[in-house]
Amino acid sequence: MTELHQLTIHQTRELLAKKQCSVVELTQSYLNRIQKLNPSLNAYLTVSSDVALSQARDIDARLARGETIGALAGVPLAPKDIYLTKGIETTCASRILKGFIPPYNSTVIDRCLQHGAVILGKTNLDEFAMGSSNENSAFGVARNPWNTECTPGGSSGGSAAAVAGDLCAASLGTDTGGSIRQPAAFCGIVGLKPTYGRVSRYGTIAFASSLDQMGPMTKDVRDAAILLEVMSGHDQKDSTSIDHPVESYTQSLGQSIRGLRVGVPKEFFTDAIHPDVSTAVQKAIKELENLGAEIIQIQLPHTRYAVATYYIIAPAEASANLSRYDGVRFGLREPAQNLNQMYQKTRSAGFGDEVKRRILIGTYVLSSGYYDAYYIKAQKARTRIREDYLTAFKSVDVIVGPVTPTTAFRIGEKSSDPLEMYLSDILTISANLAGLPAMSLPCGFDMSSLPIGLQLIGKPFDEATLLKMAYAYEQSQVWSQKKPSL
Amino acid sequence: MIDDRVLESIANLSRLELSDEQKPRLAQQLTAIMAYVKQLDELDLTGVEPTSHAVEVQNVFRDDVAIATLVSTEILKQAPEAQDGFFRVPRVIG
C-alpha cells in the first residue's frame, strides 16, 4: 500500500481524480513528514504550512465544484529557495537575503500555481547556487537521505533530498553547471535541465545569466515531463526565453526508441570515473541497445577544457549579477559611515566564502588588462565546446554518459579545496556551456548502496527525445521504485 | 599570480572587505584556480568567434506601452530604510 507521501505527480492526480483523498490530507501528510524528517535532513529552509493548507483547501473546493484546474492541481511542490515566491521568504541560502519577502512570483512559480500546485516550502541550496554539495548554504548543509553522512549534491541539494526522501511530490531546481543533474544523480531521482531559453528565468535569482536554466526534479520520468510542460514556454519578461512551441512531452513517453542513435563519448569514460559508476553506466548503455538504440562511439575533444572555461565565464557573470546586493533596496544592511562603507560591510558580512571567491575571480577576469586573456578566451573555448556537440549531433540523436565521476561524497570531504570541488563538475558543465538539454536518471547503486545517475544530453529543444529514451530505460528497470529507508 | 596587491585591488572593485586572516588563504586559493584556468592557453583559438549566448536571439523588442507592474509601496516595504518614497542611505560623499 503506497503511502500518500510516496506518490508521484501522476499517481497523485489519479488519486485525486478518483476522490480517494483530499488535497488537504495529502498536504498534511507531507507537512507531518517534513516535521519529522527535516531536522535530520535540513532539506527545507522554509516550510510554508499556512500558505500550503490554504492553497490546498482552495483546490479541494474548486475540484469539488467540478472545476478543471491544471496538470498540477493539488500537487504539493517544494521549489528551491532561489525562485521568488510572493509572500514567502526567499533567501537563496544567503545571509544577505535573510528575511527578504519577495513582492512577486517568478514566472515558473506563477505557472505552477495557475496549474493548481500547492507550495509546501522552499528548499536548501548552496548559497546563490554556487556549489556542488549544499555545504555552502548559510543555513546548514542538507543531507543525503540514502546516507546522512553524505552530501545530497548541489547546488539543488535540498530539492534532491526532499524528492528522494518523499518530503514533497516534486521539486523545482536550477542548473548552471550541473546543479539539477548532479544532486539528482547523488540522490537517485530524475533531474532535467532544459535547453537554454526553454524555461523563463524571470523572477529566479540570477547566478550566471547565459548558463542558468530552471528545471524539474522528480521521482520519475513521467513527472519530469508533466512539470516541464507546465514550466516551458516563451515569457515576455525574459528576453532570453525562446519563442519555440512547447510540445506535449508526456505524449512521446512509451514510444519505441528503436533506431535512435546514441553517442558515447570516449572523453566521458576516463580514469577519473569511479569503476562502480562506469560499470553501471555501461550496463545502462547496453540496456538502451537491447531496447533498440544504435550505440555509436563519438568524440568530444574539448571536454577537458570545460571546467576551465566555466570557471571563468560563470564567476564573471556572477560578479555582475551579485553587484545588486548592496544593502540599499532589500536584504541585509550593515551600519556604516558612508555609502561605500555600507556596500563593503554589507557584502562582506552577507556573502559566504565561496560566493566571495567567485565574485573575486569574476572581477579579476573582467578587469582591464585581463579581459582578453581570460574572459574572451573562455568565450572562444565555449564556441569550440559547442561545436563539438553540434558536430556529434549530425550523426547521433542523444549523447549518453555518467553524470558525476563518483557517487555522493561525505560531508566535509571536498570542502577544503575549492578546485577539487570544481573538477567534479566535469561531465555536467558542457551542456550548460553549449545550451543543450540534459537529464539525469537513476541507473544503479555503488558498493556502498549510494545511487548512480545516467546522463542523457540532447539536441537543442529536443527534450522530447530525451524523455522518450529516459522513459524507455526507466520502465525496463526497477531503480525508480527504490527508496531510502528513513 | 594573485598576490596581496592584486587581491586588494579586486576586493576593492567588488566592494568586499577582506580581513588579514582571510587574505593569505584567499590569495593562495585564487592563484591555484587561475593557474588551472590558464590551460585554455593550450588551445589555438585564432579566428574563433566568442560565444556570449549559446542560443541565438537577436533584437528582442517589445512595444513601448505602459503596463501595470509593481506598486512602489510594496517595493519599499522591503527597504532597510525608506523615507518619503525614497530608499534612504548613509551619506554618499564624505
Side-chain angles (χ1 to χ4, degrees):
Chain A
M1 166 61 195
T2 319
E3 304 267 10
L4 286 180
H5 57 256
Q6 293 177 318
L7 298 175
T8 61
I9 293 175
H10 57 94
Q11 288 167 342
T12 300
R13 294 285 305 127
E14 257 178 66
L15 214 75
L16 290 172
K18 291 183 198 157
K19 303 201 201 294
Q20 281 172 350
C21 83
S22 69
V23 181
V24 169
E25 274 175 274
L26 181 63
T27 303
Q28 194 59 64
S29 160
Y30 279 117
L31 291 171
N32 295 343
R33 191 168 170 83
I34 292 166
Q35 192 172 52
K36 186 174 132 206
L37 295 173
N38 201 53
S40 56
L41 292 178
N42 202 27
Y44 280 84
L45 293 179
T46 297
V47 182
S48 45
S49 336
D50 292 343
V51 169
L53 288 168
S54 155
Q55 288 169 338
R57 281 190 293 271
D58 176 60
I59 302 292
D60 271 334
R62 292 164 67 193
L63 289 174
R65 288 199 292 271
E67 227 181 281
T68 310
I69 302 173
L72 301 175
V75 176
L77 297 181
K80 181 176 182 180
D81 201 17
I82 197 169
Y83 289 87
L84 294 200
T85 42
K86 183 173 176 176
I88 303 173
E89 187 182 17
T90 301
T91 65
C92 225
S94 180
R95 274 192 299 271
I96 216 166
L97 283 177
K98 184 83 188 102
F100 174 61
I101 314 281
Y104 65 99
N105 282 322
S106 74
T107 294
V108 168
I109 295 292
D110 263 341
R111 287 180 179 178
C112 290
L113 290 173
Q114 273 154 31
H115 278 261
V118 168
I119 308 294
L120 291 167
K122 311 298 290 300
T123 56
N124 204 350
L125 62 152
D126 280 295
E127 187 182 359
F128 285 106
M130 299 181 193
S132 312
S133 65
N134 217 129
E135 289 172 290
N136 295 327
S137 168
F139 308 117
V141 71
R143 291 175 182 274
N144 193 319
W146 294 91
N147 178 343
T148 53
E149 301 296 302
C150 292
T151 84
S155 60
S156 312
S159 286
V163 176
D166 285 320
L167 275 70
C168 60
S171 180
L172 309 176
T174 65
D175 190 313
T176 304
S179 292
I180 284 176
R181 293 162 285 155
Q182 184 251 38
F186 278 11
C187 291
I189 63 165
V190 175
L192 186 147
K193 179 202 86 73
T195 310
Y196 183 83
R198 174 78 287 183
V199 177
S200 170
R201 293 180 302 108
Y202 181 79
T204 309
I205 293 171
F207 159 16
S209 305
S210 80
L211 301 165
D212 292 345
Q213 256 300 275
M214 284 75 243
M217 295 180 74
T218 57
K219 299 179 190 181
D220 68 11
V221 175
R222 182 170 292 278
D223 278 7
I226 293 170
L227 258 178
L228 186 64
E229 272 178 33
V230 171
M231 294 168 83
S232 298
H234 183 242
D235 180 17
Q236 282 259 330
K237 293 184 273 193
D238 174 4
S239 60
T240 63
S241 87
I242 305 296
D243 200 355
H244 193 278
V246 181
E247 299 164 67
S248 167
Y249 298 116
T250 45
Q251 288 271 28
S252 54
L253 303 181
Q255 288 172 9
S256 165
I257 62 165
R258 185 158 297 283
L260 282 180
R261 302 160 302 168
V262 169
V264 180
K266 68 170 195 180
E267 292 84 1
F268 280 20
F269 290 91
T270 63
D271 292 335
I273 312 298
H274 192 281
D276 288 0
V277 173
S278 52
T279 303
V281 172
Q282 294 288 10
K283 253 194 184 156
I285 294 172
K286 196 83 193 73
E287 183 55 37
L288 291 174
E289 198 173 29
N290 294 342
L291 291 165
E294 188 193 340
I295 312 299
I296 300 168
Q297 299 298 317
I298 61 165
Q299 288 186 48
L300 298 169
H302 292 85
T303 299
R304 45 193 275 255
Y305 298 105
V307 175
T309 304
Y310 177 85
Y311 278 102
I312 290 172
I313 293 175
E317 295 184 2
S319 71
N321 280 326
L322 270 64
S323 60
R324 70 192 66 185
Y325 303 105
D326 55 16
V328 176
R329 295 158 297 156
F330 48 78
L332 180 73
R333 176 189 287 196
E334 289 287 302
Q337 308 282 52
N338 59 48
L339 187 68
N340 196 47
Q341 221 183 61
M342 184 188 86
Y343 291 158
Q344 283 184 330
K345 290 194 179 300
T346 299
R347 290 161 64 81
S348 307
F351 289 141
D353 286 348
E354 183 59 34
V355 170
K356 283 179 184 157
R357 252 189 301 272
R358 296 202 195 189
I359 290 173
L360 290 167
I361 293 169
T363 303
Y364 182 65
V365 303
L366 290 174
S367 63
S368 101
Y370 297 106
Y371 184 80
D372 287 317
Y374 290 108
Y375 187 66
I376 296 296
K377 190 165 289 184
Q379 289 193 317
K380 291 180 178 180
R382 184 176 183 176
T383 303
R384 282 276 183 256
I385 289 168
R386 186 149 192 270
E387 282 168 357
D388 277 1
Y389 278 88
L390 297 181
T391 303
F393 280 128
K394 288 188 183 137
S395 52
V396 303
D397 303 302
V398 176
I399 292 170
V400 142
V403 181
T404 52
T406 66
T407 54
F409 43 87
R410 299 186 92 76
I411 291 165
E413 194 181 312
K414 296 199 189 204
S415 50
S416 57
D417 184 355
L419 192 52
E420 200 196 327
M421 189 73 86
Y422 298 167
L423 290 169
S424 64
D425 293 336
I426 179 70
L427 300 165
T428 47
I429 270 176
S430 303
N432 300 85
L433 291 170
L436 301 169
M439 64 185 293
S440 172
L441 67 157
C443 70
F445 294 86
D446 74 356
M447 304 293 239
S448 322
S449 306
L450 289 169
I452 298 170
L454 173 70
Q455 183 172 208
L456 306 181
I457 304 170
K459 297 177 185 172
F461 297 101
D462 196 17
E463 285 83 351
T465 302
L466 284 187
L467 287 160
K468 183 163 85 179
M469 183 166 287
Y471 187 77
Y473 172 74
E474 178 195 66
Q475 294 300 303
S476 74
Q477 307 294 308
V478 293
W479 311 123
S480 65
Q481 291 155 39
K482 303 247 185 254
K483 301 258 183 206
S485 44
L486 285 165
Chain B
M1 175 61 192
I2 311 280
D3 61 16
D4 244 25
R5 191 187 49 84
V6 174
L7 190 58
E8 191 72 46
S9 142
I10 53 179
N12 184 47
L13 285 172
S14 321
R15 297 295 184 263
L16 289 172
E17 207 174 51
L18 304 174
S19 70
D20 288 331
E21 296 85 52
Q22 286 175 309
K23 283 184 198 162
R25 198 147 163 269
L26 256 178
Q28 185 196 60
Q29 286 172 339
L30 295 182
T31 301
I33 294 165
M34 295 317 299
Y36 175 77
V37 302
K38 206 114 189 42
Q39 69 178 257
L40 294 186
D41 286 351
E42 290 167 22
L43 291 168
D44 176 9
L45 297 166
T46 19
V48 182
E49 280 302 301
T51 297
S52 57
H53 200 178
V55 180
E56 279 305 306
V57 210
Q58 286 193 1
N59 298 338
V60 178
F61 295 133
R62 62 177 173 85
D63 291 334
D64 188 12
V65 173
I67 52 168
T69 57
L70 285 174
V71 182
S72 59
T73 43
E74 280 304 305
I75 297 169
L76 286 166
K77 274 190 190 151
Q78 287 303 305
E81 221 183 308
Q83 187 184 307
D84 304 331
F86 290 88
F87 295 102
R88 200 189 150 95
V89 298
R91 63 194 311 131
V92 176
I93 302 162

